[in-house]
Amino acid sequence: MLDLLAAVGRGVIGACRATGAASLFGLEGLLGILRPPLQPRLFGRAFVEFAYFSLPVVALTAIFTGMVLALQSFTGFARFNAEGAVANVVVLSITRELGPVLAGLMVAGRVGAAMAAELGTMRVTDQIDALATLSTDPMKYLVAPRLAAGIIALPLLVVVADILGVMGGFLVGTVSLGFSVPTYLHNTFTFMQTGDVVSGLIKAAVFGFVIALMGCYHGYHSRGGAEGVGSATTAAVVSASILILALDYLLTQIFFVR
Amino acid sequence: MSEPRIRLRGLRKSFGEKRVLDGVDLEVAAGTSLVVIGGSGSGKSVLLKCVLGLIEPDAGTIEIDGVDILALDARARRAARAAIGMLFQNGALFDSLPVWENVAFGPLARRTLARRDARAFAARILASVGIADSVGTLYPSALSGGMQKRVALARAIAGEPAILFFDEPTTGLDPIVGAIIDQLVVDCVKRLGSTAIAITHDMASARRIGDRAAMLHHGRIVWDGPAARLFDSGNAIVDQFTHGRSEGPITMELRR
């Protein structure tokens, strides 16, 4: 019994320590964004990697999600003669939840893993130490531009995801489910509020930060050669995904529950 | 006697239960080269990393030109360490940057070099280590081990540092390339008038690079003398190590 308690205690202490270390790491990275000199070239490189190269995967995810959502809503609502609410459900679900969450999860798998692998390789091959010996703060050079890119890029990706997700629902609604184009569009735009979109974009900024933070944190602290880099990559994706889902709940509570 | 450029006093560092440095005392006179030898895991790299500020020692002092850098604030420490160039064991070249940008990285970061002049600057430094300008546009992954070492050496000397550290400069190289790298190291140190510390397992390299040599064993310096005396030091530990004997005071725990 005591052994079990000790194991649980060690786990809790370890989790607290890791949370504290990651928080301080993130804070230092954020301060690095604000501290001159700015690093526009590094930010640009990270931004292209984060936003441009993630565009196809986010676009495909959003459009198919919108299509499925329209189909599911229609068949479900048909049970109580509420098929007319399909357009409303699609636009609300996409802008408030599915756009930021699914884009976040897809980008966590693509970019978070790549960040962890890149920084992890730099760590185990002494490149991060080499930076420090060349009068360069690794936090400022490696971490800050990636955090900034995450915070800015994911909201932009979510704008695209929102548009394509709603468009996916529109296509299914008008082509397969028999809605007229004016009716579907009317239902979409009269029901959607600015706050729905803005809350999704704020969530996206938070998720983008979390993805970059977990990728950088686990990569930066990786140890032990190729195996360590592999573990860091896995940890980055898993922790970012869980944090996205947990923070989504928290932010939804803050935004929508009065 | 003049003040040594580098002086370590009572340097200690432990990782958990393992005591890696156990009171290291060491001095390096200005303009001379010291080679630190010692078995694998004896703490040679940790010693260099402590001086570089990559690892914080548990106790002791690290003086550069008479100033204890551990007593300085972070900014002053960074400034003091900017005077140190480092050649890492595996080169540690930035694989996302072309060779010329690797070489010019330090001066660009310190803003002592304009970006428009960096390409020509890198070509000049690369020429000093025998590398053609055309290599400058390649990425490190396209280079052989010997070429990577030379580029790493070029990067280390690009800022004309007053102090140079070399971590296993010839590891993984064939004897001829190793000898070429050693000669480049000696030439660079002499040309810049730098003070150098090299750590190595390679006895031929140690004698070629070093003016003096020191042996690190069980976290302490157990011998310090002229590099030319490495093979007849009169110290049983050094003798066993330099002659590569399995019998002697150095014992290895082997799992059978």
Side-chain angles (χ1 to χ4, degrees), chain A residues 37-38 41 45 118 121-122 124-127 129-136 141, chain B residues 49 52 54 82 84 88 90 92-95 97 101 105-106 109-111 115 155:
Chain A
L38 299 173
R41 289 176 64 247
R45 199 182 297 167
E118 186 181 357
T121 305
M122 289 187 75
V124 300
T125 56
D126 290 333
Q127 290 180 55
D129 284 348
L131 277 176
T133 67
L134 292 166
S135 307
T136 301
Y141 185 83
Chain B
K49 287 184 175 181
L52 279 165
L54 301 173
I84 303 174
F88 285 86
N90 56 14
L93 294 172
F94 305 127
D95 43 25
L97 300 178
E101 215 170 335
F105 193 95
R110 290 180 205 112
R111 297 179 181 270
R115 195 159 185 88
R155 185 178 68 180

Short mmCIF file of all heavy atoms in Angstrom, two decimals, chain A residues 37-38 41 45 118 121-122 124-127 129-136 141, chain B residues 49 52 54 82 84 88 90 92-95 97 101 105-106 109-111 115 155:
data_model
loop_
_atom_site.label_atom_id
_atom_site.label_comp_id
_atom_site.label_asym_id
_atom_site.label_seq_id
_atom_site.Cartn_x
_atom_site.Cartn_y
_atom_site.Cartn_z
N PRO A 37 17.04 41.89 -30.27
CA PRO A 37 16.56 42.21 -31.60
C PRO A 37 15.50 41.22 -32.08
O PRO A 37 15.53 40.05 -31.69
CB PRO A 37 17.83 42.08 -32.45
CG PRO A 37 18.64 41.05 -31.75
CD PRO A 37 18.37 41.22 -30.30
N LEU A 38 14.60 41.70 -32.94
CA LEU A 38 13.61 40.80 -33.52
C LEU A 38 14.31 39.88 -34.54
O LEU A 38 15.37 40.21 -35.05
CB LEU A 38 12.51 41.62 -34.21
CG LEU A 38 11.73 42.55 -33.28
CD1 LEU A 38 10.79 43.42 -34.09
CD2 LEU A 38 10.95 41.75 -32.24
N ARG A 41 13.70 36.82 -40.02
CA ARG A 41 13.99 35.70 -40.92
C ARG A 41 13.61 34.38 -40.27
O ARG A 41 13.03 33.50 -40.90
CB ARG A 41 15.48 35.68 -41.28
CG ARG A 41 15.88 36.82 -42.22
CD ARG A 41 17.36 36.86 -42.49
NE ARG A 41 17.82 35.68 -43.17
CZ ARG A 41 18.63 34.77 -42.63
NH1 ARG A 41 19.06 34.90 -41.41
NH2 ARG A 41 19.02 33.73 -43.33
N ARG A 45 10.61 31.82 -41.41
CA ARG A 45 10.84 30.39 -41.70
C ARG A 45 9.87 29.51 -40.89
O ARG A 45 9.25 28.59 -41.41
CB ARG A 45 12.29 30.04 -41.36
CG ARG A 45 12.77 28.76 -42.02
CD ARG A 45 14.19 28.45 -41.60
NE ARG A 45 15.15 29.47 -42.01
CZ ARG A 45 16.40 29.54 -41.56
NH1 ARG A 45 16.84 28.68 -40.68
NH2 ARG A 45 17.22 30.47 -41.99
N GLU A 118 13.38 18.36 -34.72
CA GLU A 118 14.46 19.26 -35.15
C GLU A 118 15.28 19.74 -33.95
O GLU A 118 16.51 19.66 -33.95
CB GLU A 118 13.87 20.46 -35.91
CG GLU A 118 14.94 21.34 -36.51
CD GLU A 118 14.36 22.54 -37.25
OE1 GLU A 118 13.13 22.67 -37.34
OE2 GLU A 118 15.18 23.35 -37.73
N THR A 121 17.20 16.83 -32.32
CA THR A 121 18.42 16.49 -33.05
C THR A 121 19.50 17.53 -32.79
O THR A 121 20.67 17.20 -32.61
CB THR A 121 18.11 16.39 -34.56
OG1 THR A 121 17.05 15.46 -34.74
CG2 THR A 121 19.32 15.94 -35.35
N MET A 122 19.09 18.80 -32.77
CA MET A 122 20.07 19.85 -32.48
C MET A 122 20.65 19.68 -31.08
O MET A 122 21.84 19.92 -30.86
CB MET A 122 19.41 21.23 -32.58
CG MET A 122 19.08 21.64 -34.00
SD MET A 122 18.48 23.33 -34.09
CE MET A 122 20.00 24.26 -33.88
N VAL A 124 20.96 16.75 -29.28
CA VAL A 124 21.84 15.59 -29.11
C VAL A 124 23.09 15.68 -29.99
O VAL A 124 24.04 14.93 -29.78
CB VAL A 124 21.10 14.25 -29.36
CG1 VAL A 124 19.94 14.08 -28.40
CG2 VAL A 124 20.62 14.11 -30.79
N THR A 125 23.09 16.59 -30.96
CA THR A 125 24.31 16.78 -31.76
C THR A 125 25.07 18.05 -31.35
O THR A 125 25.92 18.54 -32.09
CB THR A 125 23.99 16.86 -33.27
OG1 THR A 125 23.03 17.90 -33.48
CG2 THR A 125 23.42 15.55 -33.79
N ASP A 126 24.76 18.56 -30.17
CA ASP A 126 25.47 19.71 -29.58
C ASP A 126 25.24 21.02 -30.33
O ASP A 126 25.93 22.01 -30.06
CB ASP A 126 26.99 19.46 -29.49
CG ASP A 126 27.34 18.43 -28.44
OD1 ASP A 126 26.57 18.29 -27.48
OD2 ASP A 126 28.38 17.75 -28.58
N GLN A 127 24.30 21.06 -31.26
CA GLN A 127 24.09 22.31 -32.00
C GLN A 127 23.53 23.41 -31.11
O GLN A 127 23.82 24.59 -31.31
CB GLN A 127 23.15 22.08 -33.19
CG GLN A 127 23.76 21.24 -34.29
CD GLN A 127 22.79 21.02 -35.45
OE1 GLN A 127 22.27 21.94 -36.02
NE2 GLN A 127 22.56 19.77 -35.79
N ASP A 129 24.21 23.71 -27.86
CA ASP A 129 25.37 24.20 -27.11
C ASP A 129 26.23 25.10 -27.98
O ASP A 129 26.77 26.12 -27.52
CB ASP A 129 26.21 23.01 -26.61
CG ASP A 129 25.56 22.32 -25.42
OD1 ASP A 129 24.60 22.88 -24.86
OD2 ASP A 129 26.02 21.22 -25.04
N ALA A 130 26.36 24.72 -29.26
CA ALA A 130 27.18 25.53 -30.17
C ALA A 130 26.58 26.94 -30.32
O ALA A 130 27.33 27.92 -30.37
CB ALA A 130 27.28 24.85 -31.53
N LEU A 131 25.26 27.02 -30.35
CA LEU A 131 24.62 28.34 -30.43
C LEU A 131 25.05 29.21 -29.26
O LEU A 131 25.40 30.38 -29.43
CB LEU A 131 23.09 28.19 -30.39
CG LEU A 131 22.36 27.87 -31.68
CD1 LEU A 131 20.88 27.66 -31.37
CD2 LEU A 131 22.52 29.00 -32.68
N ALA A 132 25.00 28.59 -28.06
CA ALA A 132 25.35 29.36 -26.86
C ALA A 132 26.80 29.84 -26.92
O ALA A 132 27.10 30.94 -26.43
CB ALA A 132 25.11 28.50 -25.61
N THR A 133 27.69 29.04 -27.51
CA THR A 133 29.10 29.47 -27.59
C THR A 133 29.31 30.53 -28.66
O THR A 133 30.39 31.10 -28.74
CB THR A 133 30.04 28.28 -27.88
OG1 THR A 133 29.77 27.80 -29.21
CG2 THR A 133 29.86 27.17 -26.89
N LEU A 134 28.30 30.76 -29.50
CA LEU A 134 28.43 31.77 -30.56
C LEU A 134 27.58 32.99 -30.23
O LEU A 134 26.97 33.61 -31.12
CB LEU A 134 28.02 31.16 -31.91
CG LEU A 134 28.98 30.08 -32.42
CD1 LEU A 134 28.36 29.28 -33.55
CD2 LEU A 134 30.29 30.69 -32.88
N SER A 135 27.54 33.32 -28.95
CA SER A 135 26.86 34.54 -28.48
C SER A 135 25.40 34.59 -28.88
O SER A 135 24.85 35.65 -29.18
CB SER A 135 27.56 35.80 -29.02
OG SER A 135 28.91 35.77 -28.73
N THR A 136 24.75 33.44 -28.96
CA THR A 136 23.35 33.40 -29.36
C THR A 136 22.54 32.68 -28.29
O THR A 136 22.88 31.56 -27.91
CB THR A 136 23.21 32.64 -30.70
OG1 THR A 136 24.01 33.32 -31.68
CG2 THR A 136 21.77 32.61 -31.17
N TYR A 141 16.71 32.42 -30.22
CA TYR A 141 16.96 32.03 -31.61
C TYR A 141 16.05 30.89 -32.05
O TYR A 141 15.56 30.91 -33.18
CB TYR A 141 18.43 31.61 -31.74
CG TYR A 141 18.87 31.31 -33.16
CD1 TYR A 141 19.25 32.34 -34.03
CD2 TYR A 141 18.93 30.01 -33.64
CE1 TYR A 141 19.66 32.07 -35.32
CE2 TYR A 141 19.34 29.73 -34.93
CZ TYR A 141 19.71 30.76 -35.76
OH TYR A 141 20.12 30.48 -37.04
N LYS B 49 32.75 22.25 -20.63
CA LYS B 49 31.41 22.85 -20.64
C LYS B 49 31.19 23.76 -19.43
O LYS B 49 30.43 24.72 -19.50
CB LYS B 49 30.33 21.76 -20.71
CG LYS B 49 30.26 21.14 -22.10
CD LYS B 49 29.15 20.12 -22.23
CE LYS B 49 29.07 19.65 -23.69
NZ LYS B 49 28.01 18.67 -23.92
N LEU B 52 32.81 26.96 -20.39
CA LEU B 52 32.00 27.61 -21.43
C LEU B 52 30.67 28.14 -20.89
O LEU B 52 30.00 28.92 -21.57
CB LEU B 52 31.68 26.61 -22.55
CG LEU B 52 32.77 26.38 -23.59
CD1 LEU B 52 32.46 25.14 -24.40
CD2 LEU B 52 32.89 27.58 -24.51
N LEU B 54 28.11 26.18 -20.21
CA LEU B 54 27.02 25.30 -20.63
C LEU B 54 26.56 24.43 -19.47
O LEU B 54 25.44 23.92 -19.48
CB LEU B 54 27.47 24.41 -21.80
CG LEU B 54 27.94 25.16 -23.05
CD1 LEU B 54 28.51 24.21 -24.08
CD2 LEU B 54 26.78 25.95 -23.64
N ALA B 82 32.19 35.23 -24.76
CA ALA B 82 32.24 35.53 -26.20
C ALA B 82 33.67 35.47 -26.70
O ALA B 82 33.91 35.36 -27.90
CB ALA B 82 31.64 36.90 -26.46
N ILE B 84 35.62 33.08 -26.20
CA ILE B 84 36.01 31.67 -26.30
C ILE B 84 35.43 31.07 -27.58
O ILE B 84 34.23 31.18 -27.85
CB ILE B 84 35.50 30.87 -25.09
CG1 ILE B 84 36.01 31.48 -23.78
CG2 ILE B 84 35.95 29.41 -25.19
CD1 ILE B 84 35.44 30.82 -22.53
N PHE B 88 33.53 21.59 -31.39
CA PHE B 88 32.86 20.45 -30.75
C PHE B 88 33.31 19.13 -31.36
O PHE B 88 33.77 19.08 -32.51
CB PHE B 88 31.33 20.59 -30.91
CG PHE B 88 30.74 21.62 -30.00
CD1 PHE B 88 30.70 22.95 -30.37
CD2 PHE B 88 30.25 21.27 -28.75
CE1 PHE B 88 30.16 23.92 -29.53
CE2 PHE B 88 29.72 22.22 -27.90
CZ PHE B 88 29.68 23.54 -28.29
N ASN B 90 31.77 16.49 -32.50
CA ASN B 90 31.19 16.05 -33.78
C ASN B 90 30.97 17.23 -34.73
O ASN B 90 30.22 17.12 -35.69
CB ASN B 90 29.88 15.30 -33.54
CG ASN B 90 28.89 16.15 -32.77
OD1 ASN B 90 29.08 17.36 -32.64
ND2 ASN B 90 27.84 15.55 -32.25
N ALA B 92 29.19 19.78 -34.64
CA ALA B 92 27.99 20.53 -34.22
C ALA B 92 27.67 21.66 -35.19
O ALA B 92 27.26 22.75 -34.78
CB ALA B 92 28.13 21.06 -32.79
N LEU B 93 27.86 21.41 -36.47
CA LEU B 93 27.51 22.43 -37.47
C LEU B 93 25.99 22.52 -37.57
O LEU B 93 25.30 21.50 -37.41
CB LEU B 93 28.10 22.06 -38.83
CG LEU B 93 29.63 22.09 -38.90
CD1 LEU B 93 30.12 21.52 -40.22
CD2 LEU B 93 30.18 23.49 -38.68
N PHE B 94 25.49 23.70 -37.85
CA PHE B 94 24.04 23.88 -37.98
C PHE B 94 23.60 23.32 -39.33
O PHE B 94 23.93 23.90 -40.37
CB PHE B 94 23.67 25.36 -37.85
CG PHE B 94 24.20 25.98 -36.59
CD1 PHE B 94 24.95 27.14 -36.63
CD2 PHE B 94 23.97 25.38 -35.36
CE1 PHE B 94 25.45 27.70 -35.47
CE2 PHE B 94 24.46 25.94 -34.19
CZ PHE B 94 25.21 27.09 -34.25
N ASP B 95 22.89 22.21 -39.30
CA ASP B 95 22.61 21.53 -40.57
C ASP B 95 21.54 22.23 -41.40
O ASP B 95 21.34 21.87 -42.56
CB ASP B 95 22.29 20.05 -40.37
CG ASP B 95 21.37 19.81 -39.20
OD1 ASP B 95 20.62 20.75 -38.87
OD2 ASP B 95 21.39 18.71 -38.62
N LEU B 97 21.79 25.41 -42.09
CA LEU B 97 22.45 26.56 -42.70
C LEU B 97 23.57 26.10 -43.63
O LEU B 97 24.25 25.11 -43.32
CB LEU B 97 23.06 27.47 -41.62
CG LEU B 97 22.10 28.07 -40.58
CD1 LEU B 97 22.89 28.89 -39.57
CD2 LEU B 97 21.05 28.93 -41.25
N GLU B 101 27.31 30.30 -43.93
CA GLU B 101 26.55 30.92 -42.85
C GLU B 101 26.95 30.33 -41.50
O GLU B 101 26.93 31.03 -40.48
CB GLU B 101 25.05 30.74 -43.11
CG GLU B 101 24.27 31.95 -42.64
CD GLU B 101 22.82 31.95 -43.07
OE1 GLU B 101 22.50 31.31 -44.10
OE2 GLU B 101 22.01 32.58 -42.39
N PHE B 105 28.49 32.74 -38.59
CA PHE B 105 27.39 32.83 -37.61
C PHE B 105 27.74 33.71 -36.39
O PHE B 105 26.96 34.58 -36.00
CB PHE B 105 27.01 31.43 -37.13
CG PHE B 105 25.72 31.39 -36.39
CD1 PHE B 105 24.53 31.08 -37.05
CD2 PHE B 105 25.64 31.68 -35.04
CE1 PHE B 105 23.33 31.07 -36.37
CE2 PHE B 105 24.45 31.67 -34.35
CZ PHE B 105 23.29 31.36 -35.02
N GLY B 106 28.90 33.46 -35.79
CA GLY B 106 29.29 34.18 -34.57
C GLY B 106 29.39 35.68 -34.81
O GLY B 106 28.73 36.47 -34.12
N ALA B 109 26.01 37.13 -35.36
CA ALA B 109 25.23 37.19 -34.12
C ALA B 109 25.70 38.34 -33.23
O ALA B 109 24.89 38.99 -32.57
CB ALA B 109 25.34 35.87 -33.37
N ARG B 110 27.02 38.59 -33.24
CA ARG B 110 27.56 39.69 -32.40
C ARG B 110 27.43 41.04 -33.10
O ARG B 110 27.84 42.05 -32.56
CB ARG B 110 29.03 39.41 -32.09
CG ARG B 110 29.23 38.27 -31.15
CD ARG B 110 30.70 38.02 -30.84
NE ARG B 110 30.86 36.64 -30.44
CZ ARG B 110 31.49 35.70 -31.13
NH1 ARG B 110 32.08 36.00 -32.26
NH2 ARG B 110 31.54 34.47 -30.70
N ARG B 111 26.95 41.02 -34.33
CA ARG B 111 26.76 42.23 -35.14
C ARG B 111 28.08 42.95 -35.37
O ARG B 111 28.14 44.19 -35.43
CB ARG B 111 25.74 43.17 -34.48
CG ARG B 111 24.37 42.50 -34.40
CD ARG B 111 23.32 43.35 -33.74
NE ARG B 111 22.06 42.61 -33.70
CZ ARG B 111 21.15 42.65 -34.67
NH1 ARG B 111 21.34 43.38 -35.73
NH2 ARG B 111 20.04 41.94 -34.56
N ARG B 115 25.66 41.51 -42.95
CA ARG B 115 25.25 40.32 -43.69
C ARG B 115 25.76 40.35 -45.14
O ARG B 115 26.12 39.34 -45.70
CB ARG B 115 23.72 40.22 -43.66
CG ARG B 115 23.23 38.88 -44.08
CD ARG B 115 21.84 38.56 -43.62
NE ARG B 115 21.59 37.18 -44.00
CZ ARG B 115 21.88 36.13 -43.27
NH1 ARG B 115 22.41 36.28 -42.08
NH2 ARG B 115 21.66 34.91 -43.70
N ARG B 155 34.58 27.92 -38.12
CA ARG B 155 33.56 28.62 -37.34
C ARG B 155 34.12 29.04 -35.98
O ARG B 155 33.83 30.14 -35.50
CB ARG B 155 32.34 27.72 -37.15
CG ARG B 155 31.18 28.41 -36.47
CD ARG B 155 29.97 27.52 -36.35
NE ARG B 155 30.20 26.42 -35.42
CZ ARG B 155 29.29 25.49 -35.14
NH1 ARG B 155 28.12 25.51 -35.75
NH2 ARG B 155 29.56 24.53 -34.27
#
